[in-house]
Amino acid sequence: MSYGSRSMGVILALFLLLPLPAALAVDDGLEPGPEQEMITETPPISEAVVVYDMYFPIQGGATYGDNFGDCRGGSGCPRTHHGIDIMQPKMTPVLAVASGYVGWIHDEQGGDCCAFELNHDDGWESWYIHLNNDTPSTDDGLGWGFAPGIEAGARVEAGQLVGWVGDSGNAEWTGPHLHFELHQPGGIVINPYHSLNAATVLNAPLGSGNPRGCDYNGDGYDDLAIGMPGEDVTDNTRVDAGAVTVIYGTASGLRTAGARTFTQRTAGVDSAPRNDEEFGYSTACGDINGDEYDDLVVGVPGEQIGTSPDGGAINLILGSPAGLVASGSNFWHQNRAGVGSKGETGDRFGESLAIGDFNADGYDDVAVGVPGEGIRGKAEAGMVTVLYGSAAGFDGTSIAFHERTPGVSGSLGAGDRFGAALAAGDFDNDGRSDLAIGIPGQDLGTYPDAGAVITLYGTPAGLDAAREWRVAQDSPGVGGGRGAGEMFGSALTSGDFDGDEHMDLAIGVPADVAGGGAAGGVNVLYGSGAGLAASGSQHFQQGSNGVLGTSVAGDLFGSSLSYGDFDGDGNHDLAIGVPNKAVSGRSGAGSAAVIYGSSLGLTAAGDDIWSQDTPGIRGVAQAGDRFGGWLSTGDFSGLGLSSLAVGVTHEDIGVKTDAGATQIIIGQVGIGLSHDGDQQWDQSHSGIPGSAEIGDIFGHIGT
């Protein structure tokens, strides 16, 4: 369905036009509601059967009847019902059926709020009545049900989140629902029932600012790929060959129906499993071939290339209506034509991955970290190789970057591990993805392994170093101050934390010593029209600037990072792994902190700390579990907001030590993460292929 040139709909039959009663009736209860007091127009009503091309106004669809024209207001039918009542629970997301501008709006907090008019670009109008007026999970009348930015005159795009179902106005006497009306150009009120029947149903808002997860089968629900680099394959004769299990999202969240495990023994997956190859150590998703289904890139950093162990490789597994399907030539490494360089022992091509459309050609591209690459005799100096997407998958062209690439600043050093962490994001909002590259082993003066990050910007020809920008904790405006062994840049993620449509960058510093003790920290740099900048940056540590918790040396706060919109406010929130945190006296049990975004950026107000000892969370914190060592997000139930996936890679499953698990903590609109409905997945769970074994390390979850 295209909204570029919307038609006015197809009129199938036209019966007659009737004038509205003097009192305009848009309510559903027994008494006149606030909308009657506010709107005094008396447009004609039409009994025409009209089908208007639009999105369904409630996320996920709903059951409704044709109650257009029903009598309202008691005996004598003093007024009639001019819309359709779509019954759904409170806080069900309400979406814009078309693009346009907000007209009149009734948005006073509390009382009989809330309703508004959407003036479509083609002259039609839709009216939304009885949006929620309560604080979520209450009936207090003190809140209101509009999404951020919904105000008179505001621009609204088709499919955008505009509010939530409620029972405001005189609908307090009925079940929660949306009263929905359609008006033709000129104000004629038509029966929307037929248009609702034909409307396109969305499982999540479009353009809401929520992050895009991994939807491999295109059903509108995000799916989760879980790496098991320690999985033994071929009847356990290939030790630590590795595997990836994919669990698919549904309206009820992640469910094991159709779950599938891939290895290099799976039909269609190129190469063959060998010992210690670690298939699934890293994963990332994107639409490489432009078919509108996400594809899965699997890092195999321990792959033997020729006679070189740990040379590294990646496999590309394509999405389809049936989910992921391995086919075609999908095995890529440094000895393959078009990739460049040469696979050597210890290169670990594929240890890190990031996906973005760096040239804005409609095909996603993949940046592959090669942190063990030797450059000019400098062992483990590191490199990043970028492979470009096409309709056929990777198009066979690539470009490599390292610290001897013209335009890349800094000095080449052994152990720099350039490319150990990667993150793609459009930091300057020019429509092309940019790439942040972590160099956690970079020496800064007399401070070994202090770490640095560089950013390369996208162009119509792809990434280049013309605007390369380097930052470290000794850069002006960046908090923390440099220190030996801090490893600034060990983890990276991008997200729009202030909602200004420029992606921002969070940088993990897991051994940050600012404030005393190598407990870890996170720096956040904000995007702008000129790209990332140090001005206005933030520095977070446990127990400082309002962040919950206490910094303890060795916690590794910032070892992993991910972003998502956990509360549905349109601003991205930041999840921070603290995998070595002692919980209830159990060393290395691990935790995850969440700092929420706002129009002013990240703020520690209302931040969370999660662990397996958090009330309501499944499992029990045990020494060495490493909860939070890997993080990811996804909209697994199509609600238009994110849930947090937490890798617990060293979870013991029964007597199977370090078998691993993955925890899902559910996001809720207006609240954020909640223990309600949390899930825990491992290979002992019914429907998950395979079985839990010692050292599988189930829980390497990627972006």
Side-chain angles (χ1 to χ4, degrees):
M1 176 170 57
S2 170
Y3 284 91
S5 57
R6 175 186 297 280
S7 69
M8 286 174 50
V10 179
I11 299 180
L12 302 177
L14 179 63
F15 295 94
L16 74 159
L17 299 178
L18 299 174
L20 271 175
L24 177 63
V26 297
D27 64 11
D28 307 281
L30 300 176
E31 300 297 331
E35 291 78 26
Q36 284 83 14
E37 300 171 5
M38 177 177 56
I39 308 161
T40 58
E41 304 165 353
T42 57
I45 182 171
S46 171
E47 294 289 350
V49 176
V50 176
V51 177
Y52 180 76
D53 185 23
M54 67 181 192
Y55 287 125
F56 197 90
I58 293 184
Q59 177 177 294
T63 301
Y64 52 90
D66 186 357
N67 54 6
F68 183 81
D70 287 358
C71 288
R72 291 290 189 268
S75 62
C77 195
R79 57 186 189 275
T80 57
H81 192 241
H82 295 158
I84 296 295
D85 293 338
I86 308 173
M87 311 300 292
Q88 282 288 70
K90 279 187 182 182
M91 298 307 295
T92 303
V94 175
L95 312 178
V97 298
S99 296
Y101 292 86
V102 175
W104 59 258
I105 185 168
H106 192 199
D107 59 355
E108 293 82 5
Q109 182 176 2
D112 290 330
C113 172
C114 304
F116 78 100
E117 168 195 54
L118 178 60
N119 295 315
H120 304 187
D121 289 340
D122 59 10
W124 285 63
E125 297 174 5
S126 51
W127 289 12
Y128 297 78
I129 314 294
H130 303 317
L131 297 177
N132 182 59
N133 70 328
D134 301 314
T135 302
S137 302
T138 75
D139 194 31
D140 62 6
L142 298 178
W144 58 91
F146 295 97
I150 300 302
E151 56 190 20
R155 175 69 185 174
V156 174
E157 300 299 333
Q160 177 181 329
L161 177 71
V162 295
W164 294 274
V165 172
D167 57 6
S168 63
N170 50 15
E172 294 282 354
W173 288 273
T174 67
H177 65 275
L178 173 70
H179 170 100
F180 178 76
E181 293 188 16
L182 267 179
H183 297 215
Q184 289 179 326
I188 298 171
V189 183
I190 68 164
N191 186 350
Y193 179 78
H194 314 286
S195 300
L196 291 170
N197 290 342
T200 299
V201 175
L202 295 173
N203 290 321
L206 301 180
S208 64
N210 295 322
R212 183 176 71 91
C214 303
D215 186 1
Y216 300 120
N217 56 8
D219 64 355
Y221 306 109
D222 287 343
D223 313 311
L224 182 65
I226 304 173
M228 298 170 282
E231 177 83 357
D232 300 340
V233 179
T234 314
D235 300 326
N236 296 333
T237 62
R238 298 292 183 264
V239 178
D240 297 344
V244 173
T245 290
V246 179
I247 306 175
Y248 289 92
T250 73
S252 301
L254 293 171
R255 291 293 181 267
T256 57
R260 188 176 179 191
T261 292
F262 293 87
T263 72
Q264 286 186 319
R265 192 188 180 193
T266 302
V269 178
D270 290 347
S271 191
R274 296 187 181 93
N275 292 344
D276 303 315
E277 289 194 325
E278 299 179 287
F279 179 94
Y281 182 92
S282 59
T283 59
C285 75
D287 187 5
I288 305 299
N289 61 356
D291 65 355
E292 300 187 2
Y293 298 96
D294 281 329
D295 311 312
L296 176 66
V297 179
V298 180
V300 199
E303 181 82 31
Q304 180 172 313
I305 302 301
T307 60
S308 301
D310 296 328
I314 62 173
N315 283 95
L316 172 63
I317 304 175
L318 299 177
S320 76
L324 290 170
V325 178
S327 63
S329 178
N330 56 55
F331 184 57
W332 296 79
H333 50 83
Q334 291 185 96
N335 284 1
R336 179 165 174 170
V339 178
S341 191
K342 179 183 179 182
E344 299 165 321
T345 299
D347 281 351
R348 293 188 65 81
F349 179 94
E351 183 174 302
S352 59
L353 299 167
I355 291 182
D357 189 358
F358 303 122
N359 54 9
D361 65 352
Y363 302 101
D364 280 340
D365 316 307
V366 61
V368 183
V370 199
E373 180 79 19
I375 306 289
R376 305 287 179 90
K378 305 290 187 180
E380 293 189 274
M383 182 174 75
V384 172
T385 297
V386 180
L387 305 176
Y388 287 93
S390 73
F394 294 129
D395 67 2
T397 64
S398 67
I399 185 171
F401 297 94
H402 50 73
E403 288 186 290
R404 291 301 296 270
T405 300
V408 175
S409 60
S411 59
L412 188 73
D416 281 353
R417 292 184 55 78
F418 182 99
L422 301 170
D426 188 358
F427 304 122
D428 55 3
N429 195 28
D430 67 353
R432 293 181 287 269
S433 297
D434 313 309
L435 182 67
I437 302 172
I439 320 170
Q442 182 91 68
D443 298 343
L444 297 179
T446 60
Y447 298 96
D449 299 334
V453 171
I454 71 162
T455 304
L456 305 176
Y457 286 88
T459 76
L463 290 172
D464 67 28
R467 294 171 56 202
E468 183 259 25
W469 185 66
R470 175 178 291 261
V471 67
Q473 280 193 313
D474 65 346
S475 300
V478 177
R482 62 183 174 180
E486 289 189 324
M487 297 185 293
F488 178 93
S490 291
L492 301 170
T493 195
S494 63
D496 187 5
F497 304 123
D498 56 1
D500 68 352
E501 299 186 0
H502 299 86
M503 294 295 274
D504 314 310
L505 181 67
I507 302 170
V509 197
D512 195 343
V513 298
V522 174
N523 288 88
V524 179
L525 309 176
Y526 285 87
S528 69
L532 292 172
S535 60
S537 69
Q538 295 173 296
H539 181 236
F540 295 102
Q541 288 185 302
Q542 299 171 99
S544 67
N545 296 323
V547 177
L548 295 173
T550 302
S551 288
V552 177
D555 279 351
L556 304 181
F557 179 91
S559 288
S560 59
L561 301 168
S562 192
Y563 74 96
D565 186 2
F566 303 124
D567 54 7
D569 69 352
N571 303 302
H572 292 152
D573 313 310
L574 178 64
I576 304 168
V578 199
N580 214 36
K581 187 73 174 179
V583 177
S584 303
R586 301 176 184 95
S587 62
S591 66
V594 176
I595 302 174
Y596 289 89
S598 73
S599 60
L600 300 177
L602 291 170
T603 172
D607 64 331
D608 300 328
I609 295 179
W610 299 90
S611 74
Q612 287 186 309
D613 272 8
T614 301
I617 294 297
R618 298 172 190 268
V620 176
Q622 297 173 318
D625 277 351
R626 293 187 61 79
F627 179 101
W630 293 76
L631 299 172
S632 189
T633 63
D635 181 7
F636 305 121
S637 54
L639 294 177
L641 72 163
S642 304
S643 293
L644 178 65
V646 183
V648 196
T649 53
H650 289 68
E651 176 90 353
D652 298 342
I653 306 299
V655 298
K656 308 295 186 181
T657 57
D658 299 338
T662 297
Q663 205 93 23
I664 309 297
I665 307 175
I666 308 299
Q668 292 192 6
V669 174
I671 296 174
L673 292 178
S674 168
H675 61 74
D676 291 342
D678 77 305
Q679 299 174 317
Q680 187 183 64
W681 302 102
D682 60 68
Q683 285 187 293
S684 70
H685 196 288
S686 177
I688 298 290
S691 59
E693 297 168 327
I694 295 172
D696 279 349
I697 316 180
F698 181 97
H700 277 230
I701 44 181
T703 55

